[in-house]
Amino acid sequence: MSTADVPVLRSEALDGGVVVLEMTRPGRLNAISRRLARDLTDALERLAGDAATRAVVLTGAGERAFGAGIDVRELAEQTPDERDEQQQLMIGLQRAFSDYALPTIAAVHGIAAGASLQLALHCDLLVVGPQARLGMPELSAGLPGILGAWLMHSRVGPQLAADMLLTSRWLSADEAVSAGLAARLVPAGEERATAVAIAREIASRRPDALAATHAWLRRLRTQGAAVTFAGAIEAADEALHAANRRTLNHLGAREDGSYG
């Protein structure tokens, strides 16, 4: 089998409406190539339109890394046109994740660096193992860290964002959880299983209530301080009215206008 025929992404549909997307380039620490960026974007779009899919888990193959960021070896060999294509593919992938309609959980083991860590940060929840190391070392590779800075700033605030971006500091799993960058620290080897269990629990929620809550969490993350409490009151009122209407429609109306 030629290199071009080797899959770089594996999609596995599990019971409970959960799909696991596994980046399968362990020999390159699951670094993001043009092909992987394209395949991952296509998979996300496909699953978003699949009524049977309720939640998505993102992980990486092998024992050493969730993902090592952009494939710098491929980048070094690219023509200017190929680099432009890579940039557009990565921007498209980030947009797909940032605006994603389904709940997403990242199962992180080993290295999660640069663009790969950015994908994990776009997920709603991060589950990390004890060997996880999270970093944004773009500057040390001579690359600007604009999107990484925005994600870190929105997740953990300006100080830790500056420390990680400007000094290329790496966070341990314990530090990531303490900083609020990750939700749960689990024993080694249990990252994926825990993420799947969380995804199944989330997927079991009532679809309309889950969709409204998830969309609001996404809005809070992307708009931050621009979302006021008055805005939350308005959104809650609208969502609860919609939920009440769906409940009444489900019960069915009698000819006299009453329900039951």
Side-chain angles (χ1 to χ4, degrees):
M1 182 181 291
S2 69
T3 303
D5 295 328
V6 176
V8 296
L9 183 70
R10 179 172 177 261
S11 178
E12 183 181 6
L14 306 178
D15 60 279
V18 175
V19 172
V20 177
L21 294 178
E22 182 182 54
M23 298 174 285
T24 55
R25 304 187 73 217
R28 296 289 299 139
L29 300 181
N30 301 313
I32 304 172
S33 61
R34 284 178 293 161
R35 183 180 169 199
L36 178 54
R38 186 183 298 110
D39 287 0
L40 191 49
T41 302
D42 291 346
L44 289 170
E45 291 176 352
R46 173 177 55 81
L47 294 173
D50 177 17
T53 303
R54 302 287 311 283
V56 176
V57 172
L58 179 67
T59 190
E63 299 180 355
R64 299 169 59 197
F66 170 83
I70 290 286
D71 189 333
V72 292
R73 182 186 299 173
E74 181 187 71
L75 195 66
E77 298 171 351
Q78 288 174 353
T79 66
D81 286 345
E82 288 172 336
R83 287 197 173 198
D84 287 343
E85 180 191 12
Q86 173 92 27
Q87 179 177 326
Q88 293 308 309
L89 285 169
M90 286 305 304
I91 289 174
L93 177 56
Q94 294 249 7
R95 283 177 173 156
F97 259 115
S98 68
D99 228 6
Y100 206 51
L102 297 174
T104 48
I105 301 95
V108 177
H109 65 285
I111 294 170
S116 298
L117 177 55
Q118 291 169 29
L119 299 186
L121 294 179
H122 279 302
C123 292
D124 298 294
L125 293 169
L126 273 74
V127 174
V128 296
Q131 302 305 315
R133 293 178 65 238
L134 284 62
M136 292 284 185
E138 285 94 330
L139 275 182
S140 63
L143 299 171
I146 307 302
L147 293 178
W150 187 92
L151 284 162
M152 286 296 303
H153 192 283
S154 66
R155 284 282 186 144
V156 295
Q159 285 298 301
L160 187 54
D163 197 4
M164 290 185 69
L165 269 294
L166 297 179
T167 72
S168 299
R169 172 187 172 189
W170 290 83
L171 293 185
S172 68
D174 283 327
E175 288 173 321
V177 173
S178 296
L181 199 60
R184 304 189 192 185
L185 173 59
V186 301
E190 296 184 14
E191 298 91 349
R192 171 176 164 147
T194 302
V196 168
I198 294 171
R200 284 194 174 114
E201 181 178 359
I202 292 171
S204 70
R205 305 305 186 201
R206 179 168 164 167
D208 53 349
L210 173 60
T213 303
H214 178 255
W216 183 250
L217 285 169
R218 286 272 168 168
R219 182 177 171 186
L220 287 173
R221 184 189 309 168
T222 57
Q223 298 183 19
V227 181
T228 65
F229 186 67
I233 291 289
E234 182 179 342
D237 186 53
E238 181 179 338
L240 289 171
H241 273 300
N244 289 336
R245 287 194 296 271
R246 282 190 293 268
T247 299
L248 292 177
N249 289 337
H250 176 72
L251 292 173
R254 298 192 181 102
E255 289 185 1
D256 63 1
S258 62
Y259 287 82

